[in-house]
Each structure stands twice: as structure tokens, then as C-alpha cells.
Amino acid sequence: MAYSSTFEDALLRVQSFAKRADINAEITEALCHPKEMMSVSLPIRMDDGTKQYFSAYRCRYNNILGPTKGGIRFHPNVNSDEVQALALWMTIKCAVLDIPFGGAKGGITVNPKDLSPMELERLSRAYMRAMVNFISPHRDIPAPDVNTNALIMAWMLDEYESIKREHSPDVITGKPVELGGSLGRDDATGRGAYLCTLELIKVMGWSPNNLTVAIQGFGNGGYHIAQLLEKVGCKIVAVSDSQGGIYAEEGFHIDSLWQEKQRSRQVRAVYCDGSVCELINHHPITNAELLELDVDILIPAALEGVITKDNAHQIKAKAIVEIANGPILFEADDILASKGIKVIPDVLANAGGVTVSYFEWVQNRSGQHWSLDDVHQKLKDKMIDAFSQVWTLAEQKNYSLREAAYINALNRISTATSKLGTHHYFKQT
Ligand code: GLU
């Protein structure tokens, strides 16, 4: 199929895996229709006195397993098609991890780097004002995603609480710890992916020492997994951001790259001793070249749709860990499988974020504060458990890890949905 829509691509996967697992057709059909979609224009008074209009969306995809959950992204490419696909993936992701949430996603079509801090605050508050009846602690709980962070969650929480005139920290996750956020939420996505990667290394009989790793996208998730993998001996040989990438055979010192990225907003090949950073030997590479490097582990941690049928044949990595949502198109799945490449799918690999969001929501609802050790241990248990369920099913049935993850999720969603009655039940009565 030609790649026309992210949502259609996401649906094709669900339909194909559901068929393979013999999921009831009525339930598969239910999963092809987003429950609710809110689409608004946000008028914002800019600092220069002009008014600009920003398109914004929130999709609650499916809530059979619990209130809907998912982040809000600020990006120029946000549109309703993408938001629906992302909300469907959240539905699958929460079910893979067996956490009691449905799936949702939201976004604003904007490049936040073009806004002043005050314009960004006005836009974030306007989003929550527009969505205030769509969102609630029992209905739909947002969180950060691409280009959004704890500060933006704090503004949105403050707006919600001002309108509702009540304290309601459980309406949003990924907020600052001082406002009810959870310890361990900031690095949870990278840590969850790291835990899955370690499990894969174990079951494959590899050793982390000197495994080479390339990371496309050096944001929050990419940085944290890089730092954790570096600690267990992996060599991070390539890193990129939207401007391009860098490659060094001997590997980078991740905290130096991060320090420089915070300072210059660029990925630069430096080694820092304290605050003094020096350029090291490296080759500049493009994002496309990074994906095709001969490394052990490739980590796409930027945006969707970067591995397609056109470049899948050129991928040389032994394993791919999807930290981004949807970096591999459905059309590329079989090509990668035929090359024997193990793919830890996004709905498992990047689920650490929503898992700690769930912990945050539980803490808010029960008035507790868990220690960092507690959060780390609980996250580890959850990720290892989900990984091993997926791995076991994949081995038993000769499924890819993505198929096995989806089938575990579809079975959970299908069992819950069927408790309301199916065609089979009503036909008999
Ligand atoms: N935006 C993250 C994701 O795609 C986190 C969602 C959440 O914490 O609700 O999984």
C-alpha cells in the first residue's frame, strides 16, 4: 500500500494482527472507530499585539479498559489523522502493559520554538480551556509528548483547577514533582526502553559490553536511554536531531553531548570536562544515513514513518528499539523480519512513560508519594513482565514481537469488550 495516512497505516496493522489472532470481527471493527474527537481553533494574542489561530485536537480513542490516557504534542505536523493514530497506539500500549487505561492523544499544530515563553503559556492554557469538558481525572488524563514538558503540564493543571475551583492533580501527569508529579517520570520513557533492551540482550545471549548503538532523535527519551546504555558498557556511536547527526566509531560521552545540546540547542560532537567542551573526532551524517549504519542496536527516537519499504532493505542493525511512536511503517515490518532484525515495538518499548504516569495518577488519587527506588522497582517489574509475556508468545507462535504485543493487547481489549455482549450472544436470544 502507498503510505497515505498514519491512521490508515495504524489500522492496517490492527486488522492484520486481529485476523491472525482470530479476534472477534465485531471487536476489531470497534477498534477501527475512534470514540471521540475534539477539534478546535485556539485564538492567541501574540506579544506583538496580533492574533493568531492554532489548530488543536484531542482524540479519546477507546475507553473499555479505563479512562483514556495520552500525551499532548506541540509540533508543526500535528493534524487530526496523526492524533487519531497516536491515540490508537496509546490504546494498544496501555493494554500491552496491562494498565487500567484506555488510549487518547492530543496536539497543537505549532512550532513551539517560534513562540515566546508567554505566548507558549497562553497557548497551553487556551488548550486546556478549550478541552476542559473533554478532560477529567475519570475520563481523560493528558501528559507530555513531543515538545511538551512538566512546565506546560503545570500551566494546564493550573488552568483546569482555576476553572473547576478544586484541587485536581490527578487530571494530568508528567507535572512537576512539587505540584504532585511522580519521582522518576522525567526519565521513565528512556528507562522503560532501556529495561526492554536489556531483556532483549539477555534473551538473545548477547553482552551489553561494546554493543554499538545509533540513536535518531536526542530528546528526552533518546538522551535517557543513551545514558543508561552507556553505563552498562554500550558504545553510542551515532546521535542526531532534526538538523542532522554525528558519528564517532569510538563512541560518544553522552552527558557531554547533552550538556552541549542544552547550551547550543544542537547535537555537537564534544567531550566536556566540567564546563569546558572540546570537539572530538567525528563524521557528520544525515538522519537517513544514521538509520542505515552497521550497528548492533538502532533506536529511532524522533517521529513516525522514518523506516519504510524504501529504506528497510538497507537497515543493518541487529535490533531496533522504537522509542518514537510509529517510526516503522506497516509496509516495512515484513522486510525487517525477513532480515532477522528483532524489533521491540513502540507499544512496548516506549511504554515506560505512560506506566509511570499511571503510578503518578495512583499516587495523586491515594494521597501518596512514592520514593524514587519504589518507582524504579515498580517500573522494572511492569516492563519485564510485559516484555516476557510478549517474548514468550512470539516464541511460541513464531510471531514478531510487534505481532505478539498487539495480540496480547487485542486479547485484553477483546475480552473486556465481549463482557458487554457480542453478536454471537444477541443472535442466540
Ligand atoms: N506521550 C507519552 C506516550 O506516547 C506518555 C503518555 C502518558 O504518559 O500518558 O506514551
Side-chain angles (χ1 to χ4, degrees), residues 69-71 90 93 105 143-145 173 185 325 350 353-354 357:
K69 186 82 190 82
M90 284 306 303
K93 194 186 300 183
K105 201 73 162 206
D145 196 77
T173 60
R185 177 63 186 82
N325 287 304
N350 74 23
V354 73
S357 275

Side-chain angles (χ1 to χ4, degrees), residues 58 67-70 101 136-137 139-143 170-173 361:
R58 183 86 187 157
T68 55
K69 186 82 190 82
F101 282 146
S136 97
R139 192 170 194 276
D140 179 36
I141 306 136
D170 50 351
V171 75
I172 204 158
T173 60
W361 183 76

Side-chain angles (χ1 to χ4, degrees), residues 112-154:
K113 288 165 197 132
D114 294 342
L115 302 186
S116 73
M118 278 186 288
E119 288 167 344
L120 191 62
E121 183 192 3
R122 288 199 284 274
L123 185 65
S124 306
R125 288 182 180 276
Y127 184 89
M128 183 51 95
R129 270 199 308 283
M131 302 290 175
V132 78
N133 291 328
F134 206 68
I135 285 168
S136 97
H138 310 277
R139 192 170 194 276
D140 179 36
I141 306 136
D145 196 77
V146 173
N147 290 333
T148 53
N149 55 24
L151 176 59
I152 292 173
M153 298 305 109

